[in-house]
Structures are given as structure tokens and as C-alpha cells.
């Protein structure tokens, strides 16, 4: 995997994709890291395909690898997940985990995808929608850029009810965090 990561480039993606199904979690983790290092849309498509068609165990391993790699280089993949993976159904937890990880990474380029997540949801699933919006608002507050705060303020003024509520709570939490000397 190390050699594929260092010297293979995009041509190594088919081999790395096969390693995502390996029974050994360490092999899966290193394959994810290698694909992240390649950093192309084609690589993100490989990971998305593995998340969509893989076993529950391989999905969990991929998301654990992304969670353990809290570097900004995983932010484009997490953003890609928000744009291409359904927020409900079998992959709903992957979508929510991607939101949470974007909040941890604090990548300013993820604000548009997090804004879309803040407004995503269905009226017939109010609890899921509210939880999704709380996660997106919290992630935006953690990003903490002027653009992210602007999205939250916009949501408090004119968003759907659960988005307004989530944005207000995230802004209040962020203010408390800054007042206490910590970062929101």
C-alpha cells in the first residue's frame, strides 16, 4: 500500500479499491489514506462506491479511517460524501458522520456543503431532520469562519423552524465557548 500511495498515483486506484474490501482493518485504513493522498474526484468516487456497495464492516472501517485522519486532506472527501451520499436510509449514518468529521476538521471550504446539509430534510421525518440540522449547525459553528457564522445567522432569520432552532443553539454554544476562552 505504501508503494502504491507513493508511486502509483491515480493508476493505483483499482488496486487500492480492492484493498478496501480486505478483512484486515489496518489494510483498509491504509488504503483509505492512500486514496486520500491521491486526492482526485476519481479516488473519491472509489471511496463513495465502497461506502455504497461495501459490507457494513467495510463502511465502518472506512469511516473510522476518516475519523482517525483528522487532517484537512480528508475534507474534500467528506464534502464529496455530503454531495453524493443520501442522508437517509442505510447510508444516513455515513452522511451524519461526514458532517461531524467536517466540524472536527474545521475546513472553511466545507461551508457550502454544510449549509446544504443544514437545509436538508423532509417534513415527514421531523426527528431525523432536526438531528441532521443540529449536526450541520454544530459543524458550522466549529468551523467558525465569518462565512460559517453568516450561514448560521441567515438560518436563524429565515430558515425552516428546526434549522432556526439548531442555528440559534449553535451560535449560543459558540458564544459561550469564545467567552470561556475556548474555541467553538
Amino acid at each position: 500500500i505504501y508503494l502504491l500511495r507513493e508511486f502509483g498515483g491515480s493508476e493505483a486506484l483499482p488496486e487500492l479499491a480492492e484493498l478496501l474490501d480486505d478483512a484486515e482493518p489496518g489494510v483498509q485504513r491504509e488504503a483509505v489514506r492512500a486514496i486520500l493522498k491521491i486526492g482526485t474526484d476519481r479516488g473519491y468516487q472509489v471511496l463513495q462506491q465502497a461506502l455504497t456497495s461495501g459490507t457494513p464492516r467495510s463502511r465502518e472501517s472506512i469511516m473510522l479511517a476518516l475519523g482517525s485522519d483528522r487532517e484537512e486532506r480528508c475534507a474534500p472527501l467528506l464534502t464529496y460524501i455530503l454531495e453524493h451520499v443520501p442522508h437517509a436510509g442505510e447510508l444516513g449514518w455515513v452522511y451524519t458522520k461526514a458532517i461531524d468529521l467536517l466540524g472536527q476538521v474545521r475546513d472553511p471550504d466545507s461551508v457550502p456543503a454544510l449549509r446544504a446539509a443544514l437545509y436538508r430534510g423532509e417534513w415527514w421525518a421531523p426527528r431525523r431532520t432536526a438531528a441532521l440540522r443540529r449536526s450541520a449547525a454544530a459543524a458550522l459553528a466549529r468551523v467558525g469562519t465569518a462565512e460559517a457564522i453568516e450561514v448560521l445567522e441567515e438560518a436563524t432569520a429565515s430558515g425552516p423552524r428546526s434549522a432556526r432552532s439548531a442555528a440559534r443553539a449553535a451560535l449560543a454554544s459558540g458564544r459561550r465557548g469564545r467567552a470561556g476562552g475556548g474555541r467553538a
Side-chain angles (χ1 to χ4, degrees):
I1 293 174
Y2 175 77
L3 292 174
L4 288 172
R5 180 175 56 212
E6 294 302 317
F7 303 113
S10 292
E11 293 78 32
L13 286 173
E15 290 84 7
L16 291 169
E18 288 179 28
L19 294 173
L20 291 173
D21 290 329
D22 195 275
E24 177 62 40
V27 171
Q28 292 173 332
R29 181 179 57 249
E30 290 305 317
V32 169
R33 287 182 177 160
I35 293 170
L36 286 175
K37 185 170 186 202
I38 292 170
T40 62
D41 276 347
R42 194 165 145 236
Y44 300 151
Q45 289 171 352
V46 165
L47 284 171
Q48 187 222 353
Q49 181 64 31
L51 285 168
T52 347
S53 63
T55 65
R57 188 170 143 209
S58 69
R59 289 180 191 145
E60 189 173 333
S61 292
I62 291 169
M63 293 310 289
L64 283 172
L66 292 174
S68 68
D69 193 17
R70 287 188 173 81
E71 298 178 26
E72 286 189 16
R73 66 186 168 130
C74 71
L77 171 63
L78 296 169
T79 301
Y80 186 91
I81 288 171
L82 292 186
E83 294 168 350
H84 295 90
V85 170
H87 68 281
E90 187 178 1
L91 296 177
W93 72 271
V94 170
Y95 188 90
T96 304
K97 182 72 171 172
I99 290 172
D100 294 340
L101 291 173
L102 279 171
Q104 292 174 13
V105 172
R106 297 179 174 168
D107 180 40
D109 293 336
S110 67
V111 171
L114 289 170
R115 181 190 186 282
L118 179 63
Y119 289 100
R120 185 158 287 135
E122 295 86 17
W123 63 268
W124 63 83
R127 288 187 180 141
R128 180 183 63 219
T129 296
L132 182 69
R133 291 176 174 171
R134 279 191 304 272
S135 292
L140 284 162
R142 289 185 80 182
V143 170
T145 63
E147 182 185 8
I149 300 304
E150 185 178 308
V151 168
L152 289 171
E153 289 172 346
E154 171 192 305
T156 62
S158 61
R161 185 171 41 140
S162 63
R164 286 193 312 264
S165 174
R168 267 194 299 275
L171 285 170
S173 174
R175 288 185 190 110
R176 281 192 305 272
R178 284 188 291 280
R183 187 171 173 192

